């Protein structure tokens, strides 16, 4: 059987579904091939980050995320303890999802929506696009590419029948063991294996009634050698995920009795629990050397593996998907040049290196907390040991709980499709890059265009997504009309939006700001360049033509 599509996506995890949905939202044809049946046996993520929620806003999915089965009234505190019936060392209070307000820097806030709840939302979004087709229980086998496209072979796992798919582009969203990345021969660099960890989903409806602590979202258990396990409220009700944190030397396979013993140690007493699933996995820090070759790309975990200590793996992958989607669509529509496709890895690899290093540092803080056997003593020395450990965790992990600059402050520097026409301070850029917490909205080229509320109740972010937007904070003039005329002549979709709100003009800093479909600034200035065609050629990837 021979199939044909514009973009073939391998893998229907959250990144593959987001890519397919966004391509379909842009009117492009997409076929998704997934080896599994779409059922999530054990959710690997549960945080939908701030930037991802902004994309969900763009796609009209915020209501579905908020209506997911997760108990939005459940408190989100992070709690450090010896055990739930032992000593509480420190607590980071956090509001429930219902009570958490959107910060001034965004129209949205983060959401707790585990993968078994979030993937179906993305799946419905992708399926709702007439140009998107999903093939579950089909396995990717191989591909060959030429100057015009990619020919891939897949197998129907129900019948064993092989099928051939012809596509203009292929994207591997097929995870840590990506077959697409392997066939491309792309290596990965980084610290490699960090720990061997075992995740256990168990059911215990009365869990929070078996101890005397205030409920929390994440309980982190401290022993003589640092944090050895965490338990999180996976649905805010009766299901919990216990992560038994191992090391990089051993890959244990625990029996159910041993797993129950770990749970009893965490609670501080025996109790009845129903083990629903067990997942043994390797915690890694790796980033791919490159993100594409010819017409074949990789996305999400296929190009970066990170510790979940920060909740950034899936959220970074969805950022990859949104950035890649508009570039592929531009190429398919005829106005995107080869430089756009080359820019994908140039822009996204530094972000992956940033988030993997950040997440590993959070893990290091957890594992190297100052502690000893005195932690369990009732006397003054024990109290001091607990206070010292609690302070170290509260201060060290603050950047994980309040990492707004990691989510919103990812600036693309050195991109061939962004115009950097102002003096740059490398030290200031590096300082912003190193700061996980303090996000400073700016319209400097390469940054996420800032959020501000429009007079009609919309966010400035609601203006972006479908095409380029030229924000104009001045009055009518011939230059802006000449720019949009040049864009029309080149077939580049640009919408000219004039805003007469001084407070927004102040936040955007320049009279003209050109925003890309992914919401990042492509260029800004107080005057339109005389050679508007050159500017357009650069931001659309035709600068070398």
């Amino acid at each position: 059987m021979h199939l044909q599509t514009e973009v073939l996506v391998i893998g229907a995890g959250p990144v593959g579904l987001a890519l397919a949905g966004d391509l379909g939202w842009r009117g492009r044809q997409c076929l998704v091939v997934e080896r599994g049946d779409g059922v999530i046996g054990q959710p690997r993520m549960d945080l939908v980050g701030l930037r991802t929620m902004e994309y969900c806003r763009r796609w009209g999915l915020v209501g579905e995320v908020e209506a997911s089965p997760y108990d939005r009234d459940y408190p989100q505190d992070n709690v450090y303890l010896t055990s739930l019936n032992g000593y509480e060392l420190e607590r980071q209070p956090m509001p429930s999802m219902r009570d958490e307000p959107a910060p001034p820097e965004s129209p949205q806030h983060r959401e707790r929506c585990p993968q078994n709840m979030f993937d179906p939302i993305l799946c419905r979004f992708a399926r709702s696009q007439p140009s998107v087709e999903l093939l579950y229980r089909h396995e990717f086998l191989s591909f060959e590419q030429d100057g015009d496209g990619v020919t891939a072979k897949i197998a129907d796992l129900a019948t064993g029948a092989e099928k051939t798919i012809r596509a203009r582009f292929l994207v591997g969203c097929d995870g840590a063991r990506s077959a697409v990345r392997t066939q491309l021969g792309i290596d990965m660099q980084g610290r490699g294996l960090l720990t061997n960890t075992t995740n256990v989903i168990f059911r215990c409806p009365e869990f929070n009634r078996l101890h005397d602590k205030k409920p929390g979202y994440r309980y982190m258990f401290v022993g003589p050698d640092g944090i050895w396990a965490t338990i999180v409220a996976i649905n805010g009700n009766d299901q919990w995920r216990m992560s038994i944190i191992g090391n990089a030397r051993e890959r244990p396979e625990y029996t159910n009795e041993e797993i129950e013993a770990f749970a009893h140690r965490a609670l501080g007493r025996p109790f009845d629990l129903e083990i629903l699933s067990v997942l043994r996995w390797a915690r890694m820090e790796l980033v791919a050397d490159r993100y594409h070759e010819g017409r074949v790309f990789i996305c999400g975990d296929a190009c970066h593996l990170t510790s979940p200590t920060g909740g950034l793996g899936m959220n970074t992958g969805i950022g990859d998907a949104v950035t890649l989607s508009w570039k592929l669509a531009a190429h398919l529509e005829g106005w995107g040049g080869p430089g756009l496709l080359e820019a994908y890895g140039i822009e996204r690899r530094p972000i992956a290196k940033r988030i993997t290093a950040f997440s590993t540092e959070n893990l290091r803080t957890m594992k190297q907390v100052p502690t000893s056997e005195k932690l369990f003593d009732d006397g003054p020395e024990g109290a001091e040991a607990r206070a010292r450990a609690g302070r170290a965790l509260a201060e060290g992990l603050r950047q994980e709980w309040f990492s707004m600059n990691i989510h919103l402050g990812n600036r693309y520097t050195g991109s061939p499709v962004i115009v950097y026409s102002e003096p740059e301070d490398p030290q200031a850029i590096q300082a912003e890059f190193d700061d996980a917490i303090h996000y400073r909205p700016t319209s400097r080229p390469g940054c996420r265009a800032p959020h501000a509320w429009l007079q009609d109740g919309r966010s400035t972010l609601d203006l972006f997504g479908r095409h380029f937007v030229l924000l104009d904070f001045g009055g009518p003039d011939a230059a802006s009309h000449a720019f949009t005329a040049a864009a029309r002549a080149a077939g580049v979709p640009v919408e000219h939006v004039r805003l007469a709100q001084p407070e927004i003009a102040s936040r955007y800093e320049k009279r003209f700001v050109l925003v890309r479909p992914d919401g990042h600034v492509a260029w800004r200035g107080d005057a339109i360049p005389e050679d508007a065609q050159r500017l357009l050629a650069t931001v659309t990837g035709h600068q070398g033509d």
Side-chain angles (χ1 to χ4, degrees):
M1 180 183 295
H2 296 274
L3 303 173
Q4 193 162 349
T5 189
E6 290 182 329
V7 182
L8 173 60
V9 175
I10 308 301
V15 175
L17 291 170
L19 176 60
D22 195 69
L23 283 166
W25 184 74
R26 298 181 186 282
R28 307 320 308 176
Q29 192 181 28
C30 181
L31 174 64
V32 184
V33 171
E34 166 58 43
R35 192 179 193 282
D37 59 6
V39 176
I40 306 300
Q42 182 170 132
R44 300 191 180 203
M45 52 68 56
D46 58 13
L47 175 68
V48 183
L50 189 54
R51 186 61 170 149
T52 302
M53 284 304 300
E54 292 178 351
Y55 297 136
C56 287
R57 179 186 180 92
R58 172 186 299 182
W59 298 327
L61 303 179
V62 169
E64 287 194 65
V65 174
E66 292 178 346
S68 76
Y70 193 93
D71 182 358
R72 300 185 75 247
D73 292 314
Y74 189 84
Q76 296 293 296
D77 294 6
N78 294 285
V79 191
Y80 316 116
L81 347 82
T82 56
S83 74
L84 279 159
N85 280 295
Y87 296 101
E88 181 172 314
L89 312 182
E90 188 62 81
R91 176 182 292 258
Q92 176 59 63
M94 304 286 281
S96 71
M97 292 296 96
R98 193 182 307 280
D99 292 337
E100 181 168 325
E105 298 84 358
S106 176
Q108 299 299 143
H109 63 80
R110 68 193 184 106
E111 282 288 346
R112 192 70 64 188
C113 186
Q115 187 180 359
N116 57 328
M117 304 175 192
F118 191 52
D119 274 20
I121 294 171
L122 293 176
C123 185
R124 288 192 294 272
F125 170 57
R127 287 190 187 277
S128 71
Q129 312 303 321
S131 58
V132 173
E133 181 181 359
L134 276 65
L135 286 179
Y136 285 97
R137 299 297 292 152
H138 283 72
E139 183 175 29
F140 165 76
L141 300 176
S142 64
F143 70 83
E144 294 180 358
Q145 63 173 315
D146 52 52
D148 297 321
V150 183
T151 301
K153 291 188 179 298
I154 65 171
D156 184 331
L157 294 179
T159 66
E162 290 194 7
K163 302 176 183 179
T164 300
I165 303 174
R166 181 66 179 173
R168 297 281 300 280
F169 297 99
L170 183 150
V171 184
C173 300
D174 50 344
R177 297 181 178 88
S178 171
V180 174
R181 185 188 68 234
T182 299
Q183 187 173 338
L184 285 174
I186 296 176
D187 291 329
M188 304 187 83
Q189 308 298 328
R191 299 185 188 183
L193 179 63
L194 302 174
T195 70
N196 288 295
T197 297
T198 301
N199 281 5
V200 180
I201 303 290
F202 67 87
R203 179 182 288 120
C204 181
E206 70 278 9
F207 187 70
N208 273 336
R209 294 192 292 273
L210 299 176
H211 60 81
D212 59 356
K213 307 298 185 293
K214 290 172 57 179
Y217 158 69
R218 178 185 277 114
Y219 303 114
M220 308 177 76
F221 301 99
V222 185
D225 298 320
I227 289 179
W228 60 273
T230 65
I231 292 180
V232 303
I234 197 63
N235 66 355
N237 187 5
D238 64 339
Q239 292 184 27
W240 307 84
R241 182 179 66 221
M242 176 172 64
S243 295
I244 306 165
I245 304 170
N247 54 51
R249 300 181 302 277
E250 303 170 308
R251 186 176 171 83
E253 293 194 8
Y254 300 116
T255 65
N256 281 3
E257 290 75 16
E258 289 172 321
I259 289 171
E260 290 176 356
F262 280 117
H264 296 167
R265 175 185 173 190
L267 183 64
R269 51 166 284 193
F271 70 103
D272 293 330
L273 65 151
E274 179 187 0
I275 297 175
L276 301 179
S277 65
V278 178
L279 175 67
R280 299 171 179 86
W281 58 283
R283 189 189 309 256
M284 311 285 281
E285 183 194 319
L286 291 170
V287 176
D289 288 342
R290 60 189 192 280
Y291 277 25
H292 93 289
E293 182 176 302
R295 291 177 172 268
V296 181
F297 298 77
I298 54 176
C299 202
D301 283 359
C303 46
H304 45 76
L305 300 174
T306 185
S307 171
T309 41
L312 291 163
M314 180 211 71
N315 290 291
T316 303
I318 289 186
D320 298 338
V322 171
T323 301
L324 179 59
S325 175
W326 80 269
K327 292 177 167 67
L328 293 176
H331 199 282
L332 291 165
E333 290 163 12
W335 57 269
L340 272 187
L341 304 182
E342 292 296 329
Y344 166 59
I346 294 171
E347 292 177 352
R348 295 302 298 176
R349 280 191 76 249
I351 308 307
K353 294 173 76 171
R354 180 191 193 197
I355 67 106
T356 54
F358 169 78
S359 301
T360 298
E361 178 62 20
N362 293 333
L363 176 67
R364 188 199 66 80
T365 298
M366 289 171 54
K367 294 289 287 182
Q368 297 185 7
V369 56
T371 185
S372 68
E373 293 289 351
K374 294 180 180 179
L375 198 71
F376 305 95
D377 291 350
D378 290 332
E381 290 187 349
E384 174 56 31
R386 290 188 291 276
R388 186 167 59 250
R391 284 194 302 270
L393 287 167
E395 294 168 6
L397 292 179
R398 179 177 175 78
Q399 67 172 8
E400 179 176 352
W401 314 139
F402 300 99
S403 54
M404 183 180 292
N405 200 44
I406 288 283
H407 286 271
L408 299 185
N410 286 314
R411 185 187 185 195
Y412 299 148
T413 57
S415 171
V417 295
I418 293 174
V419 179
Y420 306 95
S421 55
E422 304 167 43
E424 298 283 352
D425 181 348
Q427 290 185 330
I429 292 173
Q430 189 61 47
E432 289 285 342
F433 194 80
D434 293 339
D435 187 344
I437 297 175
H438 303 99
Y439 170 65
R440 301 168 182 84
T442 175
S443 69
R444 291 186 73 84
C447 292
R448 160 192 173 271
H451 154 71
W453 290 112
L454 303 172
Q455 290 173 339
D456 62 7
R458 292 181 298 162
S459 165
T460 48
L461 272 58
D462 297 331
L463 301 172
F464 315 137
R466 295 283 187 185
H467 37 239
F468 278 91
V469 174
L470 178 66
L471 295 179
D472 183 347
F473 296 98
D477 68 9
S480 58
H481 292 297
F483 181 85
T484 54
R488 283 195 300 272
V492 180
V494 175
E495 181 182 4
H496 180 205
V497 177
R498 186 172 287 111
L499 294 177
Q501 291 181 243
E503 70 278 11
I504 299 180
S506 174
R507 181 167 296 188
Y508 271 77
E509 304 165 300
K510 300 290 183 179
R511 173 174 173 181
F512 297 104
V513 179
L514 183 64
V515 182
R516 311 188 320 180
D518 60 2
H520 283 255
V521 175
W523 165 85
R524 71 176 188 173
D526 286 322
I528 297 291
E530 291 185 8
D531 190 352
Q533 290 87 353
R534 183 178 179 183
L535 171 58
L536 286 164
T538 298
V539 300
T540 59
H542 287 288
Q543 64 271 40
D545 290 3

